[in-house]
Short mmCIF file of all heavy atoms in Angstrom, two decimals:
data_model
loop_
_atom_site.label_atom_id
_atom_site.label_comp_id
_atom_site.label_asym_id
_atom_site.label_seq_id
_atom_site.Cartn_x
_atom_site.Cartn_y
_atom_site.Cartn_z
N LEU A 1 1.26 6.63 15.78
CA LEU A 1 0.98 6.34 14.37
C LEU A 1 2.27 6.21 13.56
O LEU A 1 2.41 5.32 12.71
CB LEU A 1 0.12 7.45 13.76
CG LEU A 1 -1.38 7.40 14.03
CD1 LEU A 1 -2.07 8.58 13.34
CD2 LEU A 1 -1.96 6.09 13.52
N THR A 2 3.22 7.10 13.82
CA THR A 2 4.50 7.04 13.10
C THR A 2 5.21 5.73 13.39
O THR A 2 5.77 5.09 12.48
CB THR A 2 5.38 8.23 13.49
OG1 THR A 2 4.70 9.45 13.17
CG2 THR A 2 6.70 8.20 12.73
N ASP A 3 5.18 5.30 14.63
CA ASP A 3 5.82 4.05 15.01
C ASP A 3 5.15 2.86 14.30
O ASP A 3 5.83 1.95 13.82
CB ASP A 3 5.74 3.87 16.53
CG ASP A 3 6.62 2.74 17.03
OD1 ASP A 3 7.76 2.64 16.54
OD2 ASP A 3 6.17 1.96 17.89
N CYS A 4 3.82 2.88 14.22
CA CYS A 4 3.11 1.81 13.51
C CYS A 4 3.49 1.79 12.02
O CYS A 4 3.72 0.73 11.43
CB CYS A 4 1.60 2.01 13.64
SG CYS A 4 0.95 1.69 15.30
N CYS A 5 3.55 2.97 11.44
CA CYS A 5 3.91 3.06 10.02
C CYS A 5 5.33 2.55 9.78
O CYS A 5 5.59 1.81 8.81
CB CYS A 5 3.80 4.51 9.54
SG CYS A 5 2.10 5.10 9.41
N GLU A 6 6.26 2.92 10.65
CA GLU A 6 7.65 2.47 10.48
C GLU A 6 7.78 0.96 10.65
O GLU A 6 8.62 0.32 10.02
CB GLU A 6 8.54 3.22 11.45
CG GLU A 6 8.71 4.70 11.07
CD GLU A 6 9.49 5.49 12.10
OE1 GLU A 6 9.70 4.96 13.22
OE2 GLU A 6 9.87 6.64 11.79
N THR A 7 6.92 0.38 11.48
CA THR A 7 6.91 -1.08 11.65
C THR A 7 6.52 -1.76 10.34
O THR A 7 7.13 -2.76 9.93
CB THR A 7 5.94 -1.48 12.77
OG1 THR A 7 6.37 -0.88 13.99
CG2 THR A 7 5.90 -3.00 12.94
N LEU A 8 5.51 -1.24 9.67
CA LEU A 8 5.06 -1.81 8.40
C LEU A 8 6.12 -1.61 7.31
O LEU A 8 6.34 -2.49 6.48
CB LEU A 8 3.73 -1.19 7.98
CG LEU A 8 2.52 -1.57 8.84
CD1 LEU A 8 1.30 -0.77 8.41
CD2 LEU A 8 2.24 -3.07 8.74
N ILE A 9 6.76 -0.46 7.32
CA ILE A 9 7.82 -0.20 6.33
C ILE A 9 8.97 -1.17 6.52
O ILE A 9 9.52 -1.72 5.55
CB ILE A 9 8.29 1.26 6.43
CG1 ILE A 9 7.17 2.21 6.00
CG2 ILE A 9 9.54 1.48 5.60
CD1 ILE A 9 7.44 3.68 6.31
N ALA A 10 9.34 -1.43 7.77
CA ALA A 10 10.44 -2.35 8.04
C ALA A 10 10.11 -3.78 7.63
O ALA A 10 11.01 -4.58 7.33
CB ALA A 10 10.79 -2.30 9.53
N ALA A 11 8.83 -4.11 7.62
CA ALA A 11 8.41 -5.49 7.28
C ALA A 11 8.18 -5.68 5.79
O ALA A 11 7.78 -6.78 5.36
CB ALA A 11 7.14 -5.84 8.04
N GLU A 12 8.44 -4.67 4.97
CA GLU A 12 8.09 -4.71 3.55
C GLU A 12 8.65 -5.94 2.84
O GLU A 12 7.92 -6.69 2.18
CB GLU A 12 8.58 -3.44 2.85
CG GLU A 12 8.28 -3.41 1.35
CD GLU A 12 8.68 -2.10 0.69
OE1 GLU A 12 9.23 -1.22 1.41
OE2 GLU A 12 8.44 -1.95 -0.51
N ALA A 13 9.96 -6.17 2.94
CA ALA A 13 10.58 -7.28 2.20
C ALA A 13 10.05 -8.63 2.67
O ALA A 13 9.76 -9.52 1.85
CB ALA A 13 12.09 -7.21 2.36
N ASP A 14 9.90 -8.80 3.99
CA ASP A 14 9.41 -10.08 4.52
C ASP A 14 7.98 -10.36 4.05
O ASP A 14 7.65 -11.49 3.68
CB ASP A 14 9.45 -10.06 6.05
CG ASP A 14 10.87 -10.12 6.60
OD1 ASP A 14 11.79 -10.44 5.82
OD2 ASP A 14 11.04 -9.84 7.79
N LEU A 15 7.14 -9.34 4.08
CA LEU A 15 5.75 -9.54 3.66
C LEU A 15 5.64 -9.80 2.16
O LEU A 15 4.81 -10.59 1.71
CB LEU A 15 4.90 -8.33 4.06
CG LEU A 15 4.75 -8.10 5.58
CD1 LEU A 15 3.99 -6.82 5.85
CD2 LEU A 15 4.06 -9.29 6.24
N ASN A 16 6.48 -9.13 1.37
CA ASN A 16 6.51 -9.40 -0.07
C ASN A 16 6.92 -10.85 -0.34
O ASN A 16 6.35 -11.51 -1.21
CB ASN A 16 7.48 -8.46 -0.78
CG ASN A 16 6.88 -7.09 -1.03
OD1 ASN A 16 5.67 -6.92 -1.00
ND2 ASN A 16 7.73 -6.12 -1.31
N ALA A 17 7.91 -11.33 0.40
CA ALA A 17 8.37 -12.71 0.22
C ALA A 17 7.26 -13.70 0.57
O ALA A 17 7.05 -14.70 -0.13
CB ALA A 17 9.61 -12.98 1.07
N LEU A 18 6.52 -13.42 1.63
CA LEU A 18 5.39 -14.28 1.98
C LEU A 18 4.31 -14.24 0.90
O LEU A 18 3.76 -15.28 0.51
CB LEU A 18 4.78 -13.82 3.31
CG LEU A 18 5.24 -14.48 4.60
CD1 LEU A 18 4.48 -13.90 5.78
CD2 LEU A 18 5.06 -16.00 4.54
N ASP A 19 4.02 -13.05 0.42
CA ASP A 19 2.97 -12.90 -0.59
C ASP A 19 3.35 -13.57 -1.90
O ASP A 19 2.48 -14.01 -2.65
CB ASP A 19 2.68 -11.41 -0.82
CG ASP A 19 1.42 -11.20 -1.63
OD1 ASP A 19 0.48 -12.00 -1.51
OD2 ASP A 19 1.37 -10.23 -2.41
N ALA A 20 4.64 -13.63 -2.20
CA ALA A 20 5.09 -14.30 -3.43
C ALA A 20 4.73 -15.78 -3.42
O ALA A 20 4.62 -16.40 -4.47
CB ALA A 20 6.59 -14.12 -3.61
N LYS A 21 4.55 -16.34 -2.21
CA LYS A 21 4.17 -17.75 -2.11
C LYS A 21 2.69 -17.97 -2.42
O LYS A 21 2.29 -19.07 -2.82
CB LYS A 21 4.44 -18.28 -0.69
CG LYS A 21 5.85 -18.04 -0.17
CD LYS A 21 6.86 -18.89 -0.90
CE LYS A 21 8.23 -18.73 -0.25
NZ LYS A 21 9.26 -19.52 -0.98
N SER A 22 1.89 -16.93 -2.22
CA SER A 22 0.45 -17.13 -2.35
C SER A 22 -0.25 -16.07 -3.19
O SER A 22 -1.46 -16.12 -3.36
CB SER A 22 -0.20 -17.15 -0.95
OG SER A 22 0.04 -15.93 -0.27
N GLY A 23 0.50 -15.12 -3.72
CA GLY A 23 -0.13 -14.05 -4.49
C GLY A 23 0.85 -13.47 -5.48
O GLY A 23 1.60 -14.18 -6.13
N ASP A 24 0.85 -12.14 -5.56
CA ASP A 24 1.70 -11.49 -6.56
C ASP A 24 2.90 -10.78 -5.96
O ASP A 24 3.57 -10.00 -6.62
CB ASP A 24 0.88 -10.50 -7.39
CG ASP A 24 0.07 -9.54 -6.53
OD1 ASP A 24 0.20 -9.60 -5.29
OD2 ASP A 24 -0.71 -8.75 -7.09
N GLY A 25 3.19 -11.03 -4.69
CA GLY A 25 4.43 -10.55 -4.09
C GLY A 25 4.47 -9.07 -3.79
O GLY A 25 5.57 -8.49 -3.72
N ASP A 26 3.30 -8.44 -3.55
CA ASP A 26 3.33 -6.98 -3.35
C ASP A 26 2.67 -6.51 -2.06
O ASP A 26 2.54 -5.31 -1.84
CB ASP A 26 2.66 -6.29 -4.53
CG ASP A 26 1.15 -6.55 -4.59
OD1 ASP A 26 0.67 -7.46 -3.90
OD2 ASP A 26 0.46 -5.82 -5.34
N THR A 27 2.25 -7.44 -1.19
CA THR A 27 1.57 -7.01 0.04
C THR A 27 2.45 -6.07 0.87
O THR A 27 1.98 -5.04 1.37
CB THR A 27 1.15 -8.23 0.89
OG1 THR A 27 0.15 -8.95 0.19
CG2 THR A 27 0.62 -7.79 2.24
N GLY A 28 3.71 -6.44 1.03
CA GLY A 28 4.61 -5.60 1.81
C GLY A 28 4.76 -4.22 1.22
O GLY A 28 4.72 -3.21 1.95
N SER A 29 4.93 -4.13 -0.10
CA SER A 29 5.08 -2.83 -0.76
C SER A 29 3.81 -2.01 -0.67
O SER A 29 3.86 -0.79 -0.47
CB SER A 29 5.48 -3.03 -2.23
OG SER A 29 6.74 -3.66 -2.32
N THR A 30 2.66 -2.67 -0.81
CA THR A 30 1.39 -1.95 -0.72
C THR A 30 1.21 -1.32 0.65
O THR A 30 0.86 -0.14 0.78
CB THR A 30 0.22 -2.91 -1.01
OG1 THR A 30 0.37 -3.45 -2.33
CG2 THR A 30 -1.12 -2.19 -0.91
N LEU A 31 1.47 -2.09 1.70
CA LEU A 31 1.34 -1.57 3.06
C LEU A 31 2.41 -0.52 3.37
O LEU A 31 2.13 0.50 4.01
CB LEU A 31 1.43 -2.72 4.07
CG LEU A 31 0.23 -3.69 4.07
CD1 LEU A 31 0.55 -4.92 4.91
CD2 LEU A 31 -1.03 -3.00 4.60
N ALA A 32 3.64 -0.78 2.92
CA ALA A 32 4.72 0.17 3.19
C ALA A 32 4.48 1.50 2.48
O ALA A 32 4.73 2.58 3.04
CB ALA A 32 6.05 -0.44 2.76
N ASN A 33 4.00 1.45 1.23
CA ASN A 33 3.73 2.70 0.50
C ASN A 33 2.61 3.48 1.18
O ASN A 33 2.67 4.72 1.27
CB ASN A 33 3.36 2.39 -0.95
CG ASN A 33 4.55 1.91 -1.76
OD1 ASN A 33 5.69 2.17 -1.39
ND2 ASN A 33 4.28 1.22 -2.85
N ALA A 34 1.59 2.77 1.66
CA ALA A 34 0.52 3.45 2.39
C ALA A 34 1.06 4.07 3.68
O ALA A 34 0.68 5.18 4.06
CB ALA A 34 -0.61 2.47 2.68
N ALA A 35 1.95 3.34 4.37
CA ALA A 35 2.53 3.86 5.61
C ALA A 35 3.36 5.11 5.34
O ALA A 35 3.30 6.09 6.10
CB ALA A 35 3.39 2.77 6.26
N ARG A 36 4.12 5.09 4.26
CA ARG A 36 4.92 6.28 3.92
C ARG A 36 4.01 7.47 3.61
O ARG A 36 4.30 8.61 4.01
CB ARG A 36 5.82 5.98 2.72
CG ARG A 36 6.91 4.94 3.01
CD ARG A 36 7.82 4.74 1.80
NE ARG A 36 8.77 3.67 2.04
CZ ARG A 36 8.65 2.42 1.57
NH1 ARG A 36 7.61 2.11 0.80
NH2 ARG A 36 9.55 1.51 1.84
N ALA A 37 2.93 7.21 2.88
CA ALA A 37 2.00 8.29 2.56
C ALA A 37 1.34 8.84 3.83
O ALA A 37 1.14 10.06 3.96
CB ALA A 37 0.92 7.78 1.59
N LEU A 38 1.03 7.97 4.78
CA LEU A 38 0.41 8.40 6.03
C LEU A 38 1.37 9.26 6.85
O LEU A 38 0.97 10.28 7.44
CB LEU A 38 -0.04 7.19 6.84
CG LEU A 38 -1.15 7.39 7.87
CD1 LEU A 38 -2.40 7.97 7.21
CD2 LEU A 38 -1.48 6.07 8.55
N ILE A 39 2.65 8.89 6.86
CA ILE A 39 3.65 9.71 7.56
C ILE A 39 3.74 11.09 6.91
O ILE A 39 3.79 12.13 7.60
CB ILE A 39 5.02 9.01 7.54
CG1 ILE A 39 4.99 7.76 8.44
CG2 ILE A 39 6.12 9.96 7.99
CD1 ILE A 39 6.25 6.92 8.37
N THR A 40 3.73 11.12 5.58
CA THR A 40 3.80 12.40 4.87
C THR A 40 2.59 13.29 5.17
O THR A 40 2.71 14.52 5.26
CB THR A 40 3.89 12.14 3.35
OG1 THR A 40 5.04 11.35 3.07
CG2 THR A 40 3.98 13.44 2.56
N ALA A 41 1.43 12.64 5.35
CA ALA A 41 0.19 13.40 5.58
C ALA A 41 -0.05 13.73 7.05
O ALA A 41 -1.09 14.33 7.38
CB ALA A 41 -1.00 12.60 5.05
N MET A 42 0.88 13.38 7.92
CA MET A 42 0.65 13.50 9.36
C MET A 42 0.25 14.92 9.78
O MET A 42 -0.61 15.10 10.65
CB MET A 42 1.89 13.04 10.12
CG MET A 42 1.63 12.60 11.55
SD MET A 42 0.72 11.04 11.67
CE MET A 42 1.94 9.86 11.12
N ASP A 43 0.85 15.93 9.19
CA ASP A 43 0.55 17.31 9.59
C ASP A 43 -0.88 17.72 9.24
O ASP A 43 -1.40 18.71 9.79
CB ASP A 43 1.52 18.28 8.91
CG ASP A 43 2.92 18.19 9.49
OD1 ASP A 43 3.06 17.71 10.62
OD2 ASP A 43 3.88 18.58 8.78
N ASP A 44 -1.53 16.99 8.35
CA ASP A 44 -2.88 17.35 7.91
C ASP A 44 -3.96 16.51 8.59
O ASP A 44 -5.15 16.64 8.26
CB ASP A 44 -3.00 17.16 6.38
CG ASP A 44 -2.03 18.06 5.63
OD1 ASP A 44 -1.85 19.22 6.04
OD2 ASP A 44 -1.46 17.59 4.62
N LEU A 45 -3.59 15.65 9.52
CA LEU A 45 -4.55 14.77 10.17
C LEU A 45 -5.08 15.37 11.47
O LEU A 45 -4.36 16.09 12.16
CB LEU A 45 -3.90 13.41 10.48
CG LEU A 45 -3.45 12.58 9.29
CD1 LEU A 45 -2.77 11.29 9.77
CD2 LEU A 45 -4.62 12.24 8.37
N PRO A 46 -6.33 15.05 11.83
CA PRO A 46 -6.91 15.53 13.09
C PRO A 46 -6.46 14.62 14.25
O PRO A 46 -7.24 13.85 14.81
CB PRO A 46 -8.42 15.42 12.83
CG PRO A 46 -8.55 14.28 11.88
CD PRO A 46 -7.33 14.33 11.01
N LEU A 47 -5.20 14.74 14.63
CA LEU A 47 -4.62 13.82 15.60
C LEU A 47 -5.24 13.93 16.99
O LEU A 47 -5.23 12.97 17.76
CB LEU A 47 -3.10 14.06 15.69
CG LEU A 47 -2.30 13.85 14.39
CD1 LEU A 47 -0.85 14.23 14.59
CD2 LEU A 47 -2.41 12.41 13.91
#
């Protein structure tokens, strides 16, 4: 799970740039922020 989250965080800028072509330019940030929150909550999850 941590590896998946870090992959999305690393893609933040690229996904934002793509979204700027077709939306409001925040897809990367939305996914990255969720990934960061999931990493923070890892100790509380039923892994």
Side-chain angles (χ1 to χ4, degrees):
L1 279 180
T2 301
D3 192 42
C4 289
C5 289
E6 289 174 348
T7 299
L8 291 174
I9 293 169
E12 179 176 2
D14 289 346
L15 295 176
N16 280 342
L18 266 182
D19 192 33
K21 307 290 186 182
S22 59
D24 50 4
D26 68 346
T27 293
S29 296
T30 300
L31 291 169
N33 288 339
R36 294 183 185 101
L38 203 57
I39 290 174
T40 301
M42 203 70 71
D43 288 339
D44 299 321
L45 296 177
L47 299 176

